[in-house]
Amino acid sequence: MMVAAHEPSGFDGLLVHVEVDIRRGIPAVDLVGLAEGAVREARERVRAAVRNSGFEFPLDRVLVNLAPADFPKEGSAYDLPIALAILGEAGILPDPGRPILALGELRLDGRVEAIRGALPAVAAGLAAGIGDFVFPERNLAEARSLGRGRVYGLSCLSDAVGLLERLREDRPPADLEDGAAAESLIEGGGGAMREQPLAVASPPEGDFSDIRGLARARRALEVAAAGGHNVLLFGPPGSGKTMSAHRLPSILPDLSEEDAVAVTKLYSLSGLLLESAGPLRRPPFRAPHHSASREGLVGGGRVLRPGEASLAHKGVLFIDEAPEFHRDALQSLREPLEEGRVSIARAGRTVRLPADFQLVIAANPCPCGNLGREGRACLCSLQEIDHYWKKLGGPLLDRIDIRVPLRPADVRDLVGPPGESSASIRARVERAVLLQRERYRGLGFDRNSRIPAGSVGRF
């Protein structure tokens, strides 16, 4: 049986072939191919799950190779493909006659648990010519959201016989057998993502009508949304910085199909995608705490995961109280702002993740927050104020196109009628985005904020 798995390293990940050889010898399972801790432990989980599912584990020497053998393999998602490959090689499970990609963590009683990275795995399998996939049932909505390939759900290992029989007989998944969706999946057709309940990549969006008396901020955020510009909002506490920033996503257009796939893949790799949800359609909004580390913002760590910059891809990264962040964490955002991606170097390899986001920074004018505030006295020295703003640094501020000083709104504005709604502003923003895409067609960029220096005069 030809079984493949997927290593979620970087954005696209790596396709891993699970090879099994059973030969005479002292009964044991040898696992090779740079398997890390959780993968090595799969030997015992698989043995117990196979036995408790009513199958007989081979009483021979079993060799499992994870190819390519020179790339580290991590995580418990290899349990299911290893179990299927062993039982297939032993002749216990039927061979479907074509390669399948499987992922899933096994419990000792044979139940199959959900994993992260289902959508990237399907994309990698399709790119390699694999059309059949086996995932835990709780990952089905995510795995099917691309609308291509045939994705089968498995709740426990004991059901693998019936599932593989369906595969061998070229029958669609049981839950799609009578639906029109099954026909589309069988033909591999349609490249469109299937409509599913939306996953949540940001808190519920407020409405711009909540913003009262801040005409300058409203206009600046509308221009920023239309052109994809970065924004700095600074002013004393209570001037509406945070509230305004949280409403920026409400005037951004829906994600295009290509961007929706990319954003959903990033959330899947991070394990943040709801198990019952399909593709993300709205731009994400990320607001990390000021204690976030450099790895938390741009990604990295012992096990590579997308950081906040990548999770904000095609959306908004909001840095509230920016001078309270660690300086090295803030400065690590300079390259993603310039290149639209994050490059993480590790020994022998470099992982690249998309990170094309709008940066919104909010800051007080001074450490105490009273500088320029009517009726309050600022007690900060010039040296303290200078040190406070140096946390941001000139190179980072140079990448921020729009800077808006704010003052608390007049009380008469607060009790006045509501402002223009997000829906009407979004309509203008969508028209502006379409104009830019047409204007810059074929030039390698599609927003005003991405115009190369040599082309500014032309446009």
Side-chain angles (χ1 to χ4, degrees), residues 344-361:
I344 305 171
R346 288 291 182 268
R349 58 183 173 132
T350 299
V351 173
R352 292 181 174 84
L353 296 167
D356 184 8
F357 56 87
Q358 282 185 254
L359 178 66
V360 178
I361 288 181

Side-chain angles (χ1 to χ4, degrees), residues 11 119-120 142 145-146 193 199-202 254-273 278-286 306-316 354-357:
F11 183 59
L119 179 59
E142 173 192 345
S145 60
L146 280 178
M193 299 180 74
V200 178
S202 59
D254 289 340
L255 296 174
S256 66
E257 186 169 307
E258 180 182 356
D259 292 340
V261 172
V263 173
T264 307
K265 285 175 67 174
L266 288 165
Y267 274 75
S268 177
L269 288 169
S270 301
L272 299 177
L273 200 62
L280 299 166
R281 297 293 186 183
R282 295 293 298 145
F285 180 87
R286 304 295 298 182
E308 295 290 339
S310 292
L311 293 175
H313 182 61
K314 297 302 179 181
V316 177
D356 184 8
F357 56 87

Side-chain angles (χ1 to χ4, degrees), residues 150-206:
R150 294 194 298 186
V151 182
Y152 296 79
L154 192 63
S155 60
C156 56
L157 189 59
S158 58
D159 295 336
V161 174
L163 186 148
L164 292 174
E165 285 287 355
R166 280 185 168 274
L167 271 166
R168 186 167 64 178
E169 296 169 6
D170 213 24
R171 293 158 58 198
D175 58 323
L176 298 178
E177 195 165 24
D178 299 324
E183 184 178 351
S184 172
L185 291 174
I186 293 173
E187 296 171 356
M193 299 180 74
R194 298 185 64 217
E195 291 295 334
Q196 300 282 354
L198 298 187
V200 178
S202 59
E205 298 172 353

Side-chain angles (χ1 to χ4, degrees), residues 27-377:
V29 178
D30 299 316
L31 194 56
V32 297
L34 276 187
E36 302 293 338
V39 185
R40 290 197 302 270
E41 293 171 352
R43 294 176 296 188
E44 303 307 322
R45 287 194 298 272
V46 168
R47 190 192 301 272
V50 166
R51 186 181 65 251
N52 292 329
S53 297
F55 301 116
E56 183 178 347
F57 197 86
L59 298 177
D60 292 295
R61 194 82 176 184
V62 178
L63 174 64
V64 179
N65 179 45
L66 305 177
D70 60 347
F71 196 92
K73 321 297 188 307
E74 298 176 333
S76 57
Y78 288 94
D79 292 1
L80 181 60
I82 289 174
L84 295 180
I86 290 175
L87 294 176
E89 183 66 21
I92 298 173
L93 292 180
D95 188 347
R98 55 182 180 274
I100 62 172
L101 189 150
L103 287 175
E105 177 184 337
L106 289 177
R107 300 288 294 271
L108 298 186
D109 59 2
R111 285 178 294 166
V112 184
E113 294 292 330
I115 48 89
R116 65 180 179 89
L119 179 59
V122 173
L126 291 170
I130 298 176
D132 296 286
F133 305 88
V134 180
F135 285 100
E137 284 191 340
R138 288 158 62 189
N139 288 116
L140 277 182
E142 173 192 345
R144 287 175 176 169
S145 60
L146 280 178
R148 290 180 292 150
R150 294 194 298 186
V151 182
Y152 296 79
L154 192 63
S155 60
C156 56
L157 189 59
S158 58
D159 295 336
V161 174
L163 186 148
L164 292 174
E165 285 287 355
R166 280 185 168 274
L167 271 166
R168 186 167 64 178
E169 296 169 6
D170 213 24
R171 293 158 58 198
D175 58 323
L176 298 178
E177 195 165 24
D178 299 324
E183 184 178 351
S184 172
L185 291 174
I186 293 173
E187 296 171 356
M193 299 180 74
R194 298 185 64 217
E195 291 295 334
Q196 300 282 354
L198 298 187
V200 178
S202 59
E205 298 172 353
D207 196 277
F208 253 58
S209 60
D210 300 331
I211 304 175
R212 313 262 181 119
L214 300 177
R216 178 185 293 179
R218 291 170 59 95
R219 175 62 179 164
L221 290 175
E222 181 177 343
V223 173
H229 301 286
N230 304 315
V231 183
L232 167 64
L233 304 172
F234 63 98
S239 56
K241 305 183 296 294
T242 301
M243 183 179 72
S244 300
H246 275 267
R247 279 147 183 78
L248 177 58
S250 69
I251 63 173
L252 295 177
D254 289 340
L255 296 174
S256 66
E257 186 169 307
E258 180 182 356
D259 292 340
V261 172
V263 173
T264 307
K265 285 175 67 174
L266 288 165
Y267 274 75
S268 177
L269 288 169
S270 301
L272 299 177
L273 200 62
L274 297 179
E275 293 171 359
S276 60
L280 299 166
R281 297 293 186 183
R282 295 293 298 145
F285 180 87
R286 304 295 298 182
H289 190 262
H290 67 259
S291 62
S293 64
R294 182 180 183 276
E295 289 76 13
L297 283 183
V298 299
R302 189 189 67 81
V303 179
L304 291 178
R305 294 283 191 277
E308 295 290 339
S310 292
L311 293 175
H313 182 61
K314 297 302 179 181
V316 177
L317 177 63
F318 178 43
I319 304 295
D320 200 6
E321 304 292 348
E324 302 297 332
F325 280 73
H326 299 292
R327 179 180 172 82
D328 64 331
L330 285 177
Q331 299 309 313
S332 68
L333 296 174
R334 286 154 47 183
E335 288 77 11
L337 286 173
E338 196 72 29
E339 301 174 3
R341 66 181 184 182
V342 171
S343 298
I344 305 171
R346 288 291 182 268
R349 58 183 173 132
T350 299
V351 173
R352 292 181 174 84
L353 296 167
D356 184 8
F357 56 87
Q358 282 185 254
L359 178 66
V360 178
I361 288 181
N364 292 328
C366 66
C368 75
N370 289 326
L371 183 63
R373 191 174 187 180
E374 294 183 7
R376 299 291 181 89

